[in-house]
């Protein structure tokens, strides 16, 4: 597919053909130790290469957590750059989990780091924080449109601390989280088959029927596996929007390593469970 095709269309195709699953690439120290690797650049390289080689040609979406690479400095960033390029070359979509958020020229620089087509870390989408105001994301929104990339905006996150901001009620009676969803719906208006501007909505949050999740865009859903949610929970949490959910599984897949075959089996199992839950909804 053309790299200039909007992210939402490419995501819809990838999930329909490879299965509705996003695998997080989170090489934290405890996971490296579980694989028998040292918490050093060599361990990082071995871990990342194993995951990429095992899954790049079969999983729809990958979400590398930038912080776990950044902690190794420039050599860690080099590992991340290669992983992003190799995943995309194999047909996987990359959502860079960097949660960037700032204003003006600084937000524009973050956008250029991840969303400019010739950037070393160019990714299919980027996670961003809107809590300097949704309008602060405009440089990223604009460049994503130009590059055929997407954004995932933190809206209703699964961490308990998030509620004090996201569930706060504005003067107009709408919560902050609902306001972010409404902005995303506006940015996705008219897009087919799916908009490119998604929300991060935790799969562990339970009943979200009071929120309008019909944003005509994807819903990145962390929390499946180690955090306690299961694929079977998705229809209950996301209701009529469940087909647009991008379920993220990290530790529950990665702990199957370092065997490539075991990694592939775990990814296939979760994708099949998600597909069964979605199609049965």
């Amino acid at each position: 597919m053309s790299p200039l095709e909007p992210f939402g269309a490419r995501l819809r195709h990838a999930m329909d053909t490879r299965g509705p699953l996003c695998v997080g690439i989170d090489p934290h120290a405890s996971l490296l130790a579980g694989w028998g690797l040292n918490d050093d650049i060599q361990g990082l390289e071995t871990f990342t290469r194993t995951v990429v080689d095992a899954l790049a040609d079969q999983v729809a979406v990958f979400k590398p957590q930038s912080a776990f690479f950044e902690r190794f400095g420039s050599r860690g960033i080099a590992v991340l750059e290669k992983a992003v390029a190799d995943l995309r070359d194999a047909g996987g979509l990359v959502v860079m989990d960097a949660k960037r958020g700032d204003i003006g020229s600084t937000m524009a620089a973050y956008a250029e780091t991840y969303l400019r087509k010739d950037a070393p870390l160019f990714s299919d989408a980027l996670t961003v924080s809107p809590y300097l105001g949704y309008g602060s994301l405009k440089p990223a929104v604009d460049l994503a449109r130009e590059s055929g990339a997407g954004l995932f905006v933190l809206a209703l996150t699964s961490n308990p601390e998030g509620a004090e901001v996201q569930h706060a009620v504005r003067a107009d009676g709408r919560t902050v989280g609902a306001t972010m969803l409404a902005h995303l719906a506006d940015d996705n208006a008219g897009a087919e088959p799916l908009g490119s501007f998604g929300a991060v909505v935790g799969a562990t949050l339970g009943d979200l029927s009071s929120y309008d999740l019909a944003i005509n865009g994807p819903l990145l859903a962390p929390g499946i596996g180690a955090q306690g949610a299961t694929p079977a929970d998705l229809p209950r949490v996301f209701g009529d929007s469940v087909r647009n959910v991008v379920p993220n599984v990290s530790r529950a897949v990665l702990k199957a390593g370092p065997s490539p075959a075991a990694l592939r089996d775990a990814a296939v199992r979760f994708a099949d469970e998600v597909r069964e839950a979605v199609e049965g909804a």
Side-chain angles (χ1 to χ4, degrees):
M1 304 181 70
S2 168
L4 295 177
E5 189 172 13
F7 170 69
R10 293 186 288 124
L11 177 63
R12 177 82 278 156
H13 176 78
M15 292 201 299
D16 288 348
T17 56
R18 291 192 175 196
L21 185 67
C22 171
V23 171
I25 304 179
D26 301 350
H28 48 75
S30 62
L31 189 53
L32 295 177
W35 279 33
L37 300 171
N38 292 329
D39 186 25
D40 57 19
I41 192 66
Q42 184 58 56
L44 178 73
E45 288 176 334
T46 300
F47 172 89
T48 305
R49 174 51 45 200
T50 301
V51 174
V52 170
D53 288 348
L55 301 179
D57 62 350
Q58 74 172 53
V59 171
V61 185
F62 296 88
K63 184 174 71 64
Q65 171 47 259
S66 181
F68 291 117
F69 296 85
E70 292 175 31
R71 68 194 185 100
F72 292 102
S74 60
R75 294 179 68 189
I77 297 298
V79 173
L80 180 58
E81 287 180 5
K82 181 167 176 49
V84 169
D86 289 347
L87 290 166
R88 299 190 72 248
D89 284 346
L93 299 181
V94 174
V95 175
M96 183 61 71
D97 194 357
K99 298 183 179 71
R100 299 307 193 220
D102 216 303
I103 61 173
S105 60
T106 309
M107 189 66 234
Y110 280 136
E112 290 174 4
T113 301
Y114 303 102
L115 302 173
R116 194 185 73 240
K117 285 187 291 184
D118 60 349
L121 283 170
F122 176 71
S123 302
D124 298 284
L126 171 68
T127 61
V128 291
S129 175
Y131 295 108
L132 288 171
Y134 189 87
S136 68
L137 301 179
K138 188 176 187 301
V141 172
D142 290 347
L143 187 54
R145 289 192 193 280
E146 179 183 328
S147 301
L151 299 176
F152 282 101
V153 176
L154 303 179
L156 297 169
T157 58
S158 55
N159 63 305
E161 303 89 346
E164 69 183 46
V165 174
Q166 296 157 19
H167 295 175
V169 179
R170 292 160 30 105
D172 62 4
R174 189 164 58 179
T175 67
V176 173
T179 300
M180 299 309 159
L181 293 170
H183 282 305
L184 288 165
D186 288 343
D187 277 336
N188 288 322
E192 295 181 0
L194 187 67
S196 297
F197 301 100
V200 179
V201 179
T204 58
L205 294 178
D207 183 9
L208 292 175
S209 58
S210 62
Y211 284 90
D212 186 1
L213 300 178
I215 63 171
N216 190 34
L219 302 168
L220 182 63
I224 294 175
Q227 295 184 46
T230 70
D233 294 325
L234 296 175
R236 175 177 58 85
V237 176
F238 293 95
D240 292 341
S241 298
V242 70
R243 188 169 179 266
N244 294 335
V245 170
V246 186
N248 177 74
V249 182
S250 297
R251 282 172 287 176
V253 169
L254 299 177
K255 71 180 183 180
S259 163
L263 286 167
R264 286 191 289 271
D265 288 346
V268 168
R269 182 175 71 254
F270 273 104
D272 286 346
E273 290 178 6
V274 170
R275 186 184 292 106
E276 181 179 349
V278 170
E279 291 179 353

